[in-house]
CSV table of all heavy atoms in Angstrom, one decimal:
chain,number,residue,atom,x,y,z
V,3,ALA,N,4.3,37.7,4.1
V,3,ALA,CA,5.2,37.8,3.0
V,3,ALA,C,4.7,36.9,1.9
V,3,ALA,O,4.8,37.2,0.7
V,3,ALA,CB,6.6,37.4,3.5
V,4,ARG,N,4.3,35.8,2.3
V,4,ARG,CA,3.9,34.8,1.3
V,4,ARG,C,2.7,35.4,0.5
V,4,ARG,O,2.6,35.2,-0.7
V,4,ARG,CB,3.5,33.5,1.8
V,4,ARG,CG,3.9,32.4,0.9
V,4,ARG,CD,3.6,31.0,1.5
V,4,ARG,NE,4.4,30.7,2.6
V,4,ARG,CZ,4.0,30.0,3.6
V,4,ARG,NH1,2.8,29.6,3.7
V,4,ARG,NH2,4.9,29.7,4.6
V,5,GLY,N,1.8,36.0,1.2
V,5,GLY,CA,0.7,36.6,0.6
V,5,GLY,C,1.0,37.6,-0.5
V,5,GLY,O,0.5,37.7,-1.6
V,6,VAL,N,2.0,38.4,-0.1
V,6,VAL,CA,2.5,39.4,-1.1
V,6,VAL,C,3.1,38.8,-2.3
V,6,VAL,O,2.7,39.2,-3.4
V,6,VAL,CB,3.6,40.3,-0.4
V,6,VAL,CG1,4.3,41.1,-1.4
V,6,VAL,CG2,3.0,41.2,0.7
V,7,VAL,N,3.9,37.8,-2.1
V,7,VAL,CA,4.5,37.1,-3.3
V,7,VAL,C,3.4,36.5,-4.2
V,7,VAL,O,3.4,36.6,-5.4
V,7,VAL,CB,5.5,36.1,-2.8
V,7,VAL,CG1,6.0,35.2,-4.0
V,7,VAL,CG2,6.7,36.7,-2.2
V,8,GLY,N,2.4,35.9,-3.5
V,8,GLY,CA,1.4,35.3,-4.3
V,8,GLY,C,0.7,36.3,-5.2
V,8,GLY,O,0.4,36.1,-6.3
V,9,ARG,N,0.4,37.4,-4.6
V,9,ARG,CA,-0.3,38.5,-5.3
V,9,ARG,C,0.6,38.9,-6.5
V,9,ARG,O,0.1,39.2,-7.6
V,9,ARG,CB,-0.6,39.7,-4.4
V,9,ARG,CG,-2.1,39.7,-4.0
V,9,ARG,CD,-2.4,41.0,-3.3
V,9,ARG,NE,-2.0,40.8,-1.9
V,9,ARG,CZ,-1.4,41.8,-1.2
V,9,ARG,NH1,-1.2,43.0,-1.8
V,9,ARG,NH2,-1.1,41.7,0.0
V,10,VAL,N,1.8,39.0,-6.3
V,10,VAL,CA,2.7,39.5,-7.4
V,10,VAL,C,2.7,38.4,-8.5
V,10,VAL,O,2.6,38.7,-9.7
V,10,VAL,CB,4.1,39.6,-6.9
V,10,VAL,CG1,5.1,39.7,-8.0
V,10,VAL,CG2,4.2,40.8,-6.0
V,11,GLY,N,2.7,37.2,-8.1
V,11,GLY,CA,2.7,36.1,-9.1
V,11,GLY,C,1.4,36.3,-10.0
V,11,GLY,O,1.5,36.3,-11.2
V,12,LEU,N,0.3,36.5,-9.4
V,12,LEU,CA,-1.0,36.6,-10.1
V,12,LEU,C,-0.9,37.8,-11.0
V,12,LEU,O,-1.3,37.8,-12.2
V,12,LEU,CB,-2.1,36.8,-9.1
V,12,LEU,CG,-2.9,35.5,-8.8
V,12,LEU,CD1,-3.3,35.4,-7.4
V,12,LEU,CD2,-4.1,35.4,-9.7
V,13,HIS,N,-0.4,38.8,-10.4
V,13,HIS,CA,-0.3,40.1,-11.2
V,13,HIS,C,0.5,39.9,-12.5
V,13,HIS,O,0.2,40.2,-13.5
V,13,HIS,CB,0.3,41.1,-10.3
V,13,HIS,CG,0.3,42.5,-10.9
V,13,HIS,ND1,-1.0,43.2,-11.0
V,13,HIS,CD2,1.2,43.3,-11.3
V,13,HIS,CE1,-0.7,44.4,-11.5
V,13,HIS,NE2,0.6,44.5,-11.7
V,14,ARG,N,1.5,39.1,-12.3
V,14,ARG,CA,2.4,38.9,-13.5
V,14,ARG,C,1.7,38.1,-14.6
V,14,ARG,O,1.8,38.3,-15.8
V,14,ARG,CB,3.7,38.2,-13.0
V,14,ARG,CG,4.8,39.1,-12.8
V,14,ARG,CD,6.1,38.7,-13.2
V,14,ARG,NE,6.4,37.3,-13.0
V,14,ARG,CZ,7.3,36.8,-12.2
V,14,ARG,NH1,8.0,37.6,-11.4
V,14,ARG,NH2,7.5,35.5,-12.0
V,15,LEU,N,0.9,37.2,-14.1
V,15,LEU,CA,0.3,36.3,-15.1
V,15,LEU,C,-0.8,37.2,-15.9
V,15,LEU,O,-0.9,37.0,-17.0
V,15,LEU,CB,-0.5,35.2,-14.3
V,15,LEU,CG,0.4,34.0,-14.1
V,15,LEU,CD1,-0.4,33.0,-13.1
V,15,LEU,CD2,0.8,33.3,-15.3
V,16,HIS,N,-1.4,38.0,-15.2
V,16,HIS,CA,-2.4,38.8,-15.9
V,16,HIS,C,-1.7,39.7,-16.9
V,16,HIS,O,-2.2,39.8,-18.1
V,16,HIS,CB,-3.1,39.7,-14.9
V,16,HIS,CG,-4.2,39.0,-14.1
V,16,HIS,ND1,-5.1,38.2,-14.8
V,16,HIS,CD2,-4.5,38.9,-12.8
V,16,HIS,CE1,-6.0,37.7,-13.9
V,16,HIS,NE2,-5.6,38.1,-12.7
V,17,MET,N,-0.6,40.2,-16.5
V,17,MET,CA,0.1,41.1,-17.5
V,17,MET,C,0.5,40.3,-18.7
V,17,MET,O,0.7,40.9,-19.8
V,17,MET,CB,1.3,41.8,-16.8
V,17,MET,CG,0.8,42.9,-15.9
V,17,MET,SD,2.2,43.4,-14.9
V,17,MET,CE,3.4,43.9,-16.1
V,18,GLY,N,0.9,39.1,-18.6
V,18,GLY,CA,1.3,38.3,-19.7
V,18,GLY,C,2.7,38.7,-20.2
V,18,GLY,O,3.0,38.5,-21.3
V,19,GLY,N,3.4,39.3,-19.3
V,19,GLY,CA,4.9,39.5,-19.7
V,19,GLY,C,5.0,40.6,-20.7
V,19,GLY,O,5.9,40.7,-21.4
V,20,GLY,N,4.1,41.6,-20.8
V,20,GLY,CA,4.1,42.6,-21.8
V,20,GLY,C,5.1,43.7,-21.4
V,20,GLY,O,6.2,43.8,-22.1
V,21,ASP,N,4.8,44.3,-20.4
V,21,ASP,CA,5.6,45.4,-20.1
V,21,ASP,C,6.7,45.0,-19.1
V,21,ASP,O,6.5,44.8,-17.9
V,21,ASP,CB,4.8,46.5,-19.5
V,21,ASP,CG,5.5,47.9,-19.4
V,21,ASP,OD1,6.7,47.8,-19.7
V,21,ASP,OD2,4.9,48.9,-19.1
V,22,GLY,N,7.9,44.8,-19.6
V,22,GLY,CA,9.0,44.3,-18.7
V,22,GLY,C,9.3,45.3,-17.7
V,22,GLY,O,9.7,45.0,-16.6
V,23,GLY,N,9.2,46.5,-18.1
V,23,GLY,CA,9.7,47.6,-17.1
V,23,GLY,C,8.8,47.6,-15.8
V,23,GLY,O,9.3,47.6,-14.7
V,24,THR,N,7.5,47.6,-16.1
V,24,THR,CA,6.6,47.7,-15.0
V,24,THR,C,6.8,46.5,-14.1
V,24,THR,O,6.8,46.5,-12.9
V,24,THR,CB,5.1,47.8,-15.4
V,24,THR,OG1,5.0,47.0,-16.5
V,24,THR,CG2,4.8,49.2,-15.7
V,25,ALA,N,6.9,45.4,-14.8
V,25,ALA,CA,7.1,44.1,-14.0
V,25,ALA,C,8.3,44.2,-13.1
V,25,ALA,O,8.3,43.8,-11.9
V,25,ALA,CB,7.2,42.9,-14.9
V,26,ARG,N,9.3,44.8,-13.7
V,26,ARG,CA,10.6,44.8,-12.9
V,26,ARG,C,10.3,45.8,-11.7
V,26,ARG,O,10.7,45.4,-10.5
V,26,ARG,CB,11.7,45.4,-13.7
V,26,ARG,CG,13.0,44.6,-13.4
V,26,ARG,CD,14.2,45.2,-14.2
V,26,ARG,NE,14.0,45.1,-15.6
V,26,ARG,CZ,14.1,46.1,-16.4
V,26,ARG,NH1,14.4,47.3,-16.0
V,26,ARG,NH2,13.9,45.9,-17.7
V,27,THR,N,9.8,46.9,-11.9
V,27,THR,CA,9.5,47.7,-10.7
V,27,THR,C,8.6,47.1,-9.7
V,27,THR,O,8.9,47.2,-8.5
V,27,THR,CB,8.9,49.1,-11.2
V,27,THR,OG1,7.8,48.8,-12.1
V,27,THR,CG2,9.9,50.0,-11.9
V,28,VAL,N,7.6,46.5,-10.3
V,28,VAL,CA,6.7,45.8,-9.3
V,28,VAL,C,7.5,44.8,-8.5
V,28,VAL,O,7.4,44.7,-7.3
V,28,VAL,CB,5.5,45.1,-10.1
V,28,VAL,CG1,4.8,44.2,-9.2
V,28,VAL,CG2,4.6,46.2,-10.6
V,29,LYS,N,8.3,44.0,-9.2
V,29,LYS,CA,9.1,43.0,-8.5
V,29,LYS,C,10.0,43.6,-7.5
V,29,LYS,O,10.1,43.1,-6.4
V,29,LYS,CB,9.9,42.2,-9.6
V,29,LYS,CG,9.4,40.8,-9.6
V,29,LYS,CD,10.3,39.8,-10.3
V,29,LYS,CE,11.4,40.2,-11.2
V,29,LYS,NZ,11.9,39.1,-12.1
V,30,SER,N,10.7,44.6,-8.0
V,30,SER,CA,11.7,45.2,-7.0
V,30,SER,C,10.9,45.8,-5.8
V,30,SER,O,11.4,45.6,-4.7
V,30,SER,CB,12.5,46.3,-7.7
V,30,SER,OG,11.6,47.2,-8.3
V,31,GLY,N,9.7,46.3,-6.1
V,31,GLY,CA,9.0,46.8,-5.0
V,31,GLY,C,8.6,45.7,-4.0
V,31,GLY,O,8.8,45.8,-2.8
V,32,VAL,N,8.2,44.6,-4.6
V,32,VAL,CA,7.8,43.5,-3.8
V,32,VAL,C,9.0,43.0,-3.0
V,32,VAL,O,8.9,42.8,-1.8
V,32,VAL,CB,7.2,42.4,-4.7
V,32,VAL,CG1,7.1,41.1,-3.9
V,32,VAL,CG2,5.9,42.8,-5.2
V,33,HIS,N,10.1,43.0,-3.7
V,33,HIS,CA,11.3,42.5,-3.0
V,33,HIS,C,11.6,43.3,-1.8
V,33,HIS,O,11.9,42.8,-0.8
V,33,HIS,CB,12.5,42.6,-4.0
V,33,HIS,CG,12.9,41.3,-4.6
V,33,HIS,ND1,13.5,40.3,-3.9
V,33,HIS,CD2,12.5,40.7,-5.8
V,33,HIS,CE1,13.6,39.2,-4.6
V,33,HIS,NE2,13.0,39.4,-5.8
V,34,HIS,N,11.5,44.6,-2.1
V,34,HIS,CA,11.9,45.5,-1.0
V,34,HIS,C,11.0,45.3,0.2
V,34,HIS,O,11.4,45.1,1.3
V,34,HIS,CB,11.7,47.0,-1.5
V,34,HIS,CG,12.1,48.0,-0.5
V,34,HIS,ND1,13.4,48.1,-0.1
V,34,HIS,CD2,11.4,48.9,0.2
V,34,HIS,CE1,13.5,49.1,0.8
V,34,HIS,NE2,12.3,49.6,1.0
V,35,ARG,N,9.7,45.1,-0.2
V,35,ARG,CA,8.8,44.9,0.9
V,35,ARG,C,9.0,43.6,1.6
V,35,ARG,O,9.2,43.4,2.8
V,35,ARG,CB,7.3,44.9,0.4
V,35,ARG,CG,6.4,45.7,1.3
V,35,ARG,CD,5.0,45.7,0.7
V,35,ARG,NE,4.9,46.4,-0.5
V,35,ARG,CZ,4.0,46.1,-1.4
V,35,ARG,NH1,3.1,45.2,-1.2
V,35,ARG,NH2,4.0,46.8,-2.6
V,36,THR,N,9.3,42.5,0.8
V,36,THR,CA,9.6,41.2,1.4
V,36,THR,C,10.8,41.3,2.2
V,36,THR,O,11.0,40.6,3.2
V,36,THR,CB,9.7,40.1,0.3
V,36,THR,OG1,10.6,40.5,-0.7
V,36,THR,CG2,8.3,39.8,-0.2
V,37,ALA,N,11.8,42.0,1.7
V,37,ALA,CA,13.0,42.1,2.4
V,37,ALA,C,12.8,42.7,3.8
V,37,ALA,O,13.2,42.1,4.8
V,37,ALA,CB,14.1,43.0,1.7
V,38,GLN,N,12.0,43.6,3.8
V,38,GLN,CA,11.7,44.3,5.1
V,38,GLN,C,10.9,43.3,6.1
V,38,GLN,O,11.4,43.0,7.2
V,38,GLN,CB,10.8,45.5,5.0
V,38,GLN,CG,11.6,46.7,4.6
V,38,GLN,CD,10.7,47.9,4.4
V,38,GLN,OE1,9.5,47.7,4.3
V,38,GLN,NE2,11.2,49.0,4.5
V,39,ILE,N,10.0,42.6,5.5
V,39,ILE,CA,9.2,41.8,6.4
V,39,ILE,C,9.8,40.5,6.7
V,39,ILE,O,9.8,40.0,7.8
V,39,ILE,CB,7.8,41.6,5.7
V,39,ILE,CG1,7.0,42.9,5.5
V,39,ILE,CG2,7.0,40.6,6.6
V,39,ILE,CD1,5.8,42.8,4.7
V,40,SER,N,10.5,39.9,5.7
V,40,SER,CA,10.9,38.5,5.9
V,40,SER,C,12.3,38.5,6.5
V,40,SER,O,12.9,37.4,6.5
V,40,SER,CB,10.9,37.7,4.6
V,40,SER,OG,11.6,38.4,3.7
V,41,LYS,N,12.9,39.6,6.9
V,41,LYS,CA,14.2,39.5,7.4
V,41,LYS,C,14.3,38.6,8.6
V,41,LYS,O,15.2,37.8,8.7
V,41,LYS,CB,14.6,40.9,7.8
V,41,LYS,CG,16.1,41.1,8.0
V,41,LYS,CD,16.5,42.5,8.2
V,41,LYS,CE,17.8,42.5,9.1
V,41,LYS,NZ,18.1,43.9,9.6
V,42,PRO,N,13.4,38.6,9.5
V,42,PRO,CA,13.6,37.6,10.6
V,42,PRO,C,13.5,36.2,10.1
V,42,PRO,O,14.2,35.4,10.6
V,42,PRO,CB,12.3,37.9,11.5
V,42,PRO,CG,11.8,39.2,11.1
V,42,PRO,CD,12.3,39.5,9.7
V,43,VAL,N,12.8,35.9,9.0
V,43,VAL,CA,12.7,34.6,8.5
V,43,VAL,C,14.1,34.2,8.0
V,43,VAL,O,14.6,33.1,8.3
V,43,VAL,CB,11.7,34.5,7.4
V,43,VAL,CG1,11.7,33.1,6.7
V,43,VAL,CG2,10.3,34.8,7.9
V,44,GLN,N,14.7,35.1,7.2
V,44,GLN,CA,16.0,34.8,6.7
V,44,GLN,C,17.0,34.5,7.7
V,44,GLN,O,18.0,33.8,7.5
V,44,GLN,CB,16.5,35.9,5.8
V,44,GLN,CG,15.9,35.9,4.4
V,44,GLN,CD,16.4,37.1,3.6
V,44,GLN,OE1,17.0,38.0,4.2
V,44,GLN,NE2,16.0,37.2,2.4
V,45,LEU,N,16.9,35.2,8.8
V,45,LEU,CA,17.9,35.1,9.8
V,45,LEU,C,18.1,33.8,10.5
V,45,LEU,O,19.0,33.6,11.2
V,45,LEU,CB,17.7,36.2,10.9
V,45,LEU,CG,17.8,37.6,10.3
V,45,LEU,CD1,17.5,38.6,11.4
V,45,LEU,CD2,19.2,37.9,9.8
V,46,ARG,N,17.1,32.9,10.3
V,46,ARG,CA,17.1,31.7,11.0
V,46,ARG,C,18.0,30.6,10.4
V,46,ARG,O,18.0,29.5,10.8
V,46,ARG,CB,15.7,31.1,11.1
V,46,ARG,CG,14.9,31.8,12.1
V,46,ARG,CD,15.3,31.6,13.5
V,46,ARG,NE,14.5,32.4,14.4
V,46,ARG,CZ,14.8,33.6,14.8
V,46,ARG,NH1,15.9,34.2,14.5
V,46,ARG,NH2,14.0,34.3,15.6
V,47,THR,N,18.8,30.9,9.3
V,47,THR,CA,19.7,29.9,8.7
V,47,THR,C,20.8,29.5,9.6
V,47,THR,O,21.2,30.3,10.5
V,47,THR,CB,20.2,30.3,7.4
V,47,THR,OG1,20.9,31.6,7.6
V,47,THR,CG2,19.1,30.6,6.4
V,48,ALA,N,21.5,28.5,9.4
V,48,ALA,CA,22.6,28.0,10.2
V,48,ALA,C,23.8,28.9,10.2
V,48,ALA,O,24.3,29.3,11.2
V,48,ALA,CB,23.0,26.6,9.8
V,49,LEU,N,24.1,29.3,8.9
V,49,LEU,CA,25.2,30.2,8.8
V,49,LEU,C,24.9,31.6,9.2
V,49,LEU,O,25.8,32.4,9.3
V,49,LEU,CB,25.7,30.2,7.4
V,49,LEU,CG,26.3,28.8,6.9
V,49,LEU,CD1,26.6,28.9,5.4
V,49,LEU,CD2,27.5,28.5,7.7
V,50,GLY,N,23.6,31.8,9.3
V,50,GLY,CA,23.3,33.2,9.6
V,50,GLY,C,23.1,33.5,11.1
V,50,GLY,O,22.4,34.4,11.5
V,51,SER,N,23.8,32.7,11.9
V,51,SER,CA,23.6,32.9,13.4
V,51,SER,C,24.2,34.2,13.8
V,51,SER,O,23.7,34.7,14.8
V,51,SER,CB,24.3,31.7,14.1
V,51,SER,OG,25.7,31.6,13.7
V,52,ASP,N,25.2,34.6,13.1
V,52,ASP,CA,25.7,35.9,13.4
V,52,ASP,C,24.7,37.0,13.4
V,52,ASP,O,24.7,37.9,14.2
V,52,ASP,CB,26.9,36.3,12.5
V,52,ASP,CG,28.0,35.4,12.7
V,52,ASP,OD1,28.0,34.6,13.7
V,52,ASP,OD2,29.0,35.4,11.9
V,53,PHE,N,23.8,36.8,12.4
V,53,PHE,CA,22.8,37.9,12.2
V,53,PHE,C,21.9,38.1,13.4
V,53,PHE,O,21.6,39.1,13.8
V,53,PHE,CB,22.0,37.7,11.0
V,53,PHE,CG,22.8,37.8,9.7
V,53,PHE,CD1,23.3,36.7,9.1
V,53,PHE,CD2,22.9,39.1,9.2
V,53,PHE,CE1,24.0,36.8,7.9
V,53,PHE,CE2,23.7,39.2,8.0
V,53,PHE,CZ,24.2,38.1,7.4
V,54,VAL,N,21.6,36.9,14.0
V,54,VAL,CA,20.8,36.9,15.2
V,54,VAL,C,21.4,37.7,16.3
V,54,VAL,O,20.9,38.6,16.9
V,54,VAL,CB,20.4,35.5,15.6
V,54,VAL,CG1,19.7,35.5,17.0
V,54,VAL,CG2,19.5,34.8,14.6
V,55,GLY,N,22.7,37.3,16.4
V,55,GLY,CA,23.5,37.9,17.5
V,55,GLY,C,23.5,39.5,17.3
V,55,GLY,O,23.2,40.2,18.2
Side-chain angles (χ1 to χ4, degrees):
Chain V
R4 212 180 292 149
V6 166
V7 170
R9 253 186 282 139
V10 165
L12 260 143
H13 191 67
R14 265 218 321 245
L15 275 170
H16 280 311
M17 282 169 56
D21 194 352
T24 40
R26 219 183 301 127
T27 46
V28 168
K29 242 193 352 195
S30 55
V32 167
H33 259 282
H34 185 64
R35 226 179 295 152
T36 50
Q38 278 179 342
I39 297 170
S40 59
K41 193 172 155 194
V43 175
Q44 275 175 358
L45 296 177
R46 288 291 177 264
T47 57
L49 293 174
S51 51
D52 289 352
F53 290 97
V54 170

